[in-house]
């Protein structure tokens, strides 16, 4: 292949990123859009860069060293990257490359002032912008100077910031190459940045323009505050004109210079409103061409706009595809399920196929379209009520959307006889059921029988027949969940909780009394899971050789080696028994692709060892009995105080009925999720067997590649024995990029991302506000833990994390309080915190960033705030 060292920008398009880098490809593509002017220039290709690297073999060794460095080791990165830069800059540019660059420069005019700009192959991508990570040099004049600055741009692939950015984004240093763009410098009247979507709210129908006098460098470097214009529907709807005291201008002999702006001009707008609107129109044309919102650098030259860069805005949360032009309001599923991490495609599609309502994917997360419920007065009131009880931040976000004029259409209420509630319903779900423990016993037994039948019937299914079987199994899955009796039992416990809290606050002035009345409620599979691990610790504690062995466990084969130790057989039997009952669980368990405890039992070892260290034998039984007695004592206290009130006997009788009801049904609230995850593990084991067959047949390189296909795509692969390797790689890249996105609680079809706010003024200054979900106040050491496997807890510690699902409940037995960033009144973490009597505040925005590991904090679980103590 003949190497090309220089390409004119007009010869370049978006398909040539590997040759001219992201910036060069975008500029070439921009120059081909009708009506878009781009300063003339050329690209020094990645062929030239590779030729330079080939002259310095030592760089290979340093790249090896760099790949092994921890991304947090700033000093090592700084040292190694500086050595690589010095090596590259010291290499003499070969004569043929020098000649190619000089010829291209002569086409522009040998003494033409140029901008020399880095253009890496992993730059300006939809998933990683690399904005500001590599070097750009303005107003470079003459061949010698241009060549020197081309070398500097090559070297800037290894600036400390660029190296760190690649490591944090999982990008291999060896896979990235550097091209260089050389463009004619323009001397603009004004310059700045255009965002074709609001970079703060995400609204795709709002554009913002930052503008200042002279070169855009003054804005980028922070030398001046820009004028800011907001444009919607072709009209400037807001503007803030800054006092622009300085500007950056090009010097005739090369380089740039800061200059003072005449005081009379400082507060003049850099652009007129008409120019702003015209610029946004150009931006919309560019956005339409690339198919996504853009971050555009522009210059105003002789009353005409020139575009000097356009890259995707990578921080915006994607919008679910709706297939129409109507307005839509989406509510996050992850915030309800306590799992806001991105899910892999197989996990997303499996949840969609087994969910009770349609779900829409965006950014690796799932959302429910709430537009129709919000459109009618009764549906809106019911939805806001149930959301407000569970998570006030979701309600506030929805109310913000409803405050936007005419965004949500108005529809009449449903006719009589049709469901009006905002809650999911099935026929008969709202009919009251008797307070009868046999109902819960029957529902649990029915679920167990269904899972056992699934395990039995799936064993003989392989190939396409397995997928046909699974589609039928999914319908059975949904039938069990939608059983009216199942929904009635769930709602009975929740509604009794709400009744008790509302009425007892009204009658006795006490908040969240149900938190105590539900302690050690029967049939709570999730709290039983935490206590059962205490029983496992009891078996292991009595065997010192096993304890010592577990302290060194680093792999998943440890169970097989336990039998070689004194007491190891008993310890293994205890762990295996636990896994038989709970091994289908894991962090993020709604994503079927996540490794289960049965697949990675070492995950449980740190928690078992914490229990061995922090508890005495018999702790599980004692804790459960203490909770039961505390609830019983609270019941007696509440009823006696009620009887002393006017109409006290009636109030006490009503309350006693509700206490009995909540204790009968609230524990069952956790069981349907256990049933879902039990079925998921059966599905997963069958699909992984198919994956192993595909690997043996050389259809797939790795078993876990199936996680990057949807259920239907995997079905097609099994049927055809063919797979699109490129699709799987694209999905892997996209999944990695989704980790950088923060999912909103509410998202609109305009792209507006809303997290909601607490409208409260009853907390101390500086306190972190959240939702009170479990009463009490506790003070202790904060342990900020993002990975359950890294837990190292002492008695009295307060767990601070992003979210907890049922898999975290084994940690709850050893802590004194809980703080999470995500959660609601009836989400699993809140339910188990109440079950164990832990003061807890959830929905605390950025708790894991604002609270440092090891700080002392005070958790006010009754009033819903957290204080960071000195």
């Amino acid at each position: 292949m003949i190497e090309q060292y220089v390409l004119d920008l007009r010869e370049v398009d978006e398909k040539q990123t590997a040759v001219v880098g992201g910036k060069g490809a975008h500029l070439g593509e921009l120059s081909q859009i009708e009506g878009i002017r781009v300063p003339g220039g050329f690209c020094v290709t990645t062929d030239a860069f590779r030729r330079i690297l080939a002259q310095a073999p030592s760089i290979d060794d340093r790249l090896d060293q760099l790949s092994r460095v921890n991304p947090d080791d700033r000093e090592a990165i700084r040292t190694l990257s500086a050595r690589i830069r010095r090596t590259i800059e010291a290499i003499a540019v070969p004569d043929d490359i020098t000649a190619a660059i000089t010829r291209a420069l002569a086409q522009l005019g040998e003494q033409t002032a140029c901008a020399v700009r880095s253009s890496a192959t992993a730059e300006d991508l939809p998933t990683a912008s690399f904005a500001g990570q590599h070097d750009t040099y303005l107003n470079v004049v003459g061949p010698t100077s241009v060549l020197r600055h081309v070398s500097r741009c090559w070297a800037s692939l290894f600036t400390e910031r660029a190296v760190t950015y690649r490591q944090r984004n999982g990008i291999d240093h060896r896979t990235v190459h550097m091209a260089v763009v050389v463009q004619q410098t323009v001397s603009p009247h004004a310059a700045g940045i255009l965002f074709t979507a609001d970079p703060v709210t995400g609204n795709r129908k709002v554009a913002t323009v930052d503008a200042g006098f002279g070169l855009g460098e003054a804005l980028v470097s922070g030398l001046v505050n820009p004028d800011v214009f907001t444009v919607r529907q072709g009209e400037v709807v807001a503007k803030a004109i800054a006092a622009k005291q300085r500007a950056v201008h090009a010097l005739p002999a090369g380089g740039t210079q800061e200059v003072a702006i005449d005081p009379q001009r400082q507060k003049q707008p850099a652009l007129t409103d008409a120019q702003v609107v015209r610029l946004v129109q150009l931006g919309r044309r560019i956005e339409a061409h690339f198919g996504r919102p853009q971050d555009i650098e522009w210059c105003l030259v002789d009353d005409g706009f020139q575009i000097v860069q356009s890259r995707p805005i990578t921080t915006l949360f994607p919008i679910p595809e709706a297939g129409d032009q109507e307005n839509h309001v989406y509510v996050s599923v992850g915030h309800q399920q306590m799992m806001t991490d991105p899910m892999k495609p197989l996990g997303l599609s499996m949840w969609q196929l087994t969910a009770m309502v349609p779900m829409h994917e965006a950014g690796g997360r799932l959302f429910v379209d709430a537009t129709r419920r919000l459109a009618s007065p009764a549906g809106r009131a019911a939805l806001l009520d149930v959301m407000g009880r569970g998570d006030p931040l979701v309600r506030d976000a929805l109310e913000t959307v409803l405050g936007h004029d005419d965004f949500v259409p108005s529809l009449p209420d449903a006719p009589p006889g049709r469901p009006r509630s905002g809650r999911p319903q099935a026929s008969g779900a709202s009919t009251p059921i008797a307070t009868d423990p046999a109902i819960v016993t029957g529902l649990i037994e029915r679920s167990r029988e269904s899972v056992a039948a699934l395990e039995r019937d799936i064993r003989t299914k392989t190939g396409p027949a397995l997928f046909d079987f699974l589609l039928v199994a999914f319908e059975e899955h949904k039938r069990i969940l939608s059983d009216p009796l199942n929904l009635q039992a769930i709602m009975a416990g929740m509604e009794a909780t709400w009744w008790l809290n509302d009425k007892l606050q009204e009658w006795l002035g006490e908040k969240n009394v149900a938190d105590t009345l539900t302690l050690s409620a029967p049939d709570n599979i999730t709290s039983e899971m935490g206590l059962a691990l205490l029983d496992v610790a009891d078996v292991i504690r009595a065997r010192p050789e096993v304890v010592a062995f577990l302290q060194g466990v680093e792999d998943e084969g440890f169970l097989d080696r336990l039998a070689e130790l004194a007491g190891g057989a008993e310890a293994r039997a205890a762990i295996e028994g636990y896994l038989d009952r709970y091994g289908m669980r894991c962090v993020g368990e709604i994503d079927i692709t996540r490794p289960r405890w049965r697949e990675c039992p070492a995950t449980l070892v740190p928690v078992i060892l914490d229990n061995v260290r922090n508890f005495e034998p018999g702790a599980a039984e004692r804790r459960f009995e203490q909770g039961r007695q505390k609830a019983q004592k609270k019941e007696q206290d509440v009823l006696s105080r009620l009887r002393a009130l006017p109409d006290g006997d009636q109030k006490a009788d009503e309350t006693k009925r509700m206490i009995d009801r909540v204790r009968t049904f609230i524990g069952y609230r956790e069981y349907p999720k256990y049933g879902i995850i039990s079925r998921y593990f059966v599905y997963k084991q069958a699909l992984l067997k198919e994956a192993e067959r595909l690997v043996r047949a050389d259809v797939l390189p790795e078993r876990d590649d199936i996680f990057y296909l949807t259920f239907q795509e995997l079905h097609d692969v099994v049927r055809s024995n063919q797979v699109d390797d490129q699709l799987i790689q694209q999905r892997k890249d996209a999944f990695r990029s989704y980790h950088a996105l923060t999912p909103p609680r509410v998202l609109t079809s305009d792209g507006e991302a809303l997290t909601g706010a607490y409208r409260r003024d009853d907390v101390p200054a500086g306190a972190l506000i959240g939702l009170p979900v479990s009463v009490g106040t506790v003070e202790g050491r904060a342990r900020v833990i993002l990975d359950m496997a890294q837990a190292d807890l002492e008695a009295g510690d307060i767990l601070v994390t992003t979210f907890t699902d049922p898999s975290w409940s084994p940690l709850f037995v050893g802590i004194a309080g809980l703080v999470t960033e995500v959660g609601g009144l009836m989400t699993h973490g809140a339910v188990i915190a109440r079950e164990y009597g832990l003061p807890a505040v959830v929905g605390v925005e950025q708790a894991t960033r604002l609270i440092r590991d090891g700080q002392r904090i005070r958790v006010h679980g009754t009033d819903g705030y957290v204080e960071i103590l000195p």
Side-chain angles (χ1 to χ4, degrees), residues 773-778 798 816-819 833 837-841 859-862:
V773 296
S774 186
V775 295
T777 301
V778 66
I798 297 169
L818 173 70
V819 179
L838 302 174
V841 180
V859 177
H860 296 263
T862 305

Side-chain angles (χ1 to χ4, degrees), residues 32 184 300 385 480 552 566 613 670 712 822:
Q32 297 177 29
Q184 189 172 351
L300 178 63
D385 177 58
I480 292 170
R613 184 174 67 250
E670 293 292 297
Q712 185 57 54
V822 177

